[in-house]
Amino acid sequence: MALVTISGYPSAGKSTRVAQIQAYLQQRLAAEDYAGPKLSVEVLSDDVLNLERSVYNVLSGHRSEDSRSEKPARGALFTAMQRQMSTDKILIVDSLNYIKGFRYQMYCAAREMKLRVCTVHVVAAPDVCREWNTNRKDGRTYSTETFENLIMRYEEPSSMVRWDSPLFSILWLDTEIPGEQIWDALTKGVVKPPNGASLSVAKAPTDALHTLEQTTAGIVSQLFSEASGSSSGGKVVIAVSEGVKVDVTLPPRNITLAELQRLKRQFVTIHKKAITLGSTEKGRMDWSEESIGSKFSTFLGEHL
């Protein structure tokens, strides 16, 4: 039903805020006045996936954006998120999520599932995070070098971009969370349609190119035979296949075979791309002889 993306500096108190958000959402779902669908609230985090803080360690003397272990770790988090997202669940992803490109990737995955989304930015001053990181007793401390590197590379969420919106910021000094606003975003917010770029591509049948070539060649051959006997123009009926016929309106002039073949090549070239690369226009691409013949006859009538 919904995806909540948590983002913030290392040791900013994200997991504490996640616990508060989860408790609030569970309380609202269990309330007597709640009449919506039955939902569960689950948390996915680095700790749930047993990802150590060391996956974010930078390589000694290496200034690449990611360490060798961070990319696979991020991939594991994204895969687990995709597997756990569903229409009967509110999923909270508790991780650094400090790269805007990764948050966009998560946003697109949620849209593809037709889920509502929101981003929670857990805000804490770097000095506060340093102190909290140093004083951690749970064995999940970031090394000093890694901590400073993550602070430097952090890309702050912005309410001005669609993949971070709606955005809720919680300061380290706040005792409460904006529970009501988060609840409204997850239960009443607009469900955006999937991005066209994320739709699965509908491939043409394996014989589509052969059918395209054969159908257009047959129409050209018959049309030239009909047109060579008369230059008065008018409507000509062409048999595409058994029981399938199309009409082509000819102009009142002589038509050459070279002209028809040139138009055929143009038509085939236009449609080859849809065959080889596929089309996201599901249900609109029909590669039958009847459909191709109808489109080609219209194309000829417009260009002759």
Side-chain angles (χ1 to χ4, degrees):
M1 177 188 176
L3 174 70
V4 182
T5 301
I6 306 297
S7 182
Y9 284 157
S11 297
K14 296 184 294 299
S15 296
T16 300
R17 297 303 187 179
V18 165
Q20 289 179 294
I21 294 171
Q22 184 181 28
Y24 180 87
L25 295 177
Q26 289 174 334
Q27 180 184 358
R28 291 296 300 265
L29 290 170
E32 293 183 359
D33 59 347
Y34 174 70
K38 186 177 180 179
L39 302 172
S40 62
V41 183
E42 297 189 18
V43 175
L44 177 65
S45 67
D46 291 352
D47 297 333
V48 170
L49 297 176
N50 294 318
L51 298 176
E52 300 292 337
R53 299 297 187 267
S54 59
V55 301
Y56 298 101
N57 288 351
V58 293
L59 299 176
S60 180
H62 196 277
R63 296 188 178 184
S64 64
E65 180 186 342
D66 301 316
S67 69
R68 289 175 183 170
S69 57
E70 183 179 343
K71 283 186 178 179
R74 220 166 35 234
L77 179 67
F78 184 75
T79 301
M81 183 200 74
Q82 287 183 302
R83 187 168 56 248
Q84 293 189 32
M85 285 190 306
S86 69
T87 55
D88 62 351
K89 181 187 302 181
I90 297 176
L91 181 63
I92 305 173
V93 180
D94 175 18
S95 186
L96 290 171
N97 298 322
Y98 68 96
I99 300 173
K100 61 182 178 182
F102 184 59
R103 294 197 298 270
Y104 175 71
Q105 189 178 4
M106 297 167 67
Y107 165 79
C108 288
R111 282 185 61 172
E112 193 170 353
M113 289 284 294
K114 298 182 179 179
L115 306 181
R116 294 183 175 91
V117 297
C118 79
T119 302
V120 176
H121 183 198
V122 180
V123 183
D127 288 342
V128 174
C129 295
R130 287 188 187 95
E131 181 182 352
W132 288 351
N133 184 61
T134 302
N135 296 330
R136 293 189 76 143
K137 305 298 183 183
D138 56 5
R140 297 170 183 169
T141 303
Y142 296 89
S143 69
T144 301
E145 184 182 7
T146 298
F147 179 90
E148 297 300 334
N149 185 270
L150 290 171
I151 292 287
M152 180 181 64
R153 290 161 51 194
Y154 185 76
E155 296 175 340
E156 187 173 321
S158 170
S159 60
M160 300 299 291
V161 297
R162 62 187 183 280
W163 58 87
D164 287 335
S165 299
L167 175 64
F168 305 99
S169 296
I170 307 176
L171 300 179
W172 76 97
L173 297 174
D174 294 340
T175 56
E176 301 293 333
I177 62 169
E180 185 70 27
Q181 294 93 317
I182 294 175
W183 171 260
D184 287 345
L186 300 181
T187 59
K188 303 175 184 178
V190 176
V191 179
K192 297 182 180 180
N195 192 331
S198 66
L199 291 174
S200 57
V201 176
K203 294 293 184 182
T206 55
D207 63 343
L209 186 57
H210 175 76
T211 304
L212 178 65
E213 289 281 358
Q214 291 294 106
T215 303
T216 53
I219 291 176
V220 164
S221 177
Q222 293 183 60
L223 193 59
F224 180 68
S225 298
E226 294 285 345
S228 60
S230 173
S231 60
S232 58
K235 184 175 293 186
V236 176
V237 178
I238 303 296
V240 177
S241 61
E242 186 177 351
V244 178
K245 297 180 179 180
V246 295
D247 297 335
V248 180
T249 302
L250 299 177
R253 62 176 176 83
N254 289 323
I255 297 176
T256 65
L257 180 60
E259 182 180 9
L260 291 174
Q261 289 177 333
R262 176 176 55 81
L263 291 174
K264 170 188 172 295
R265 286 194 300 271
Q266 290 179 1
F267 181 83
V268 170
T269 300
I270 291 170
H271 290 80
K272 264 186 177 180
K273 185 176 181 181
I275 292 175
T276 56
L277 299 181
S279 172
T280 57
E281 300 180 78
K282 292 184 178 180
R284 299 182 186 180
M285 302 303 294
D286 183 357
W287 299 104
S288 65
E289 291 180 333
E290 182 178 3
S291 176
I292 293 173
S294 176
K295 291 178 181 178
F296 187 43
S297 64
T298 302
F299 180 83
L300 291 173
E302 293 174 350
H303 292 81
L304 285 173

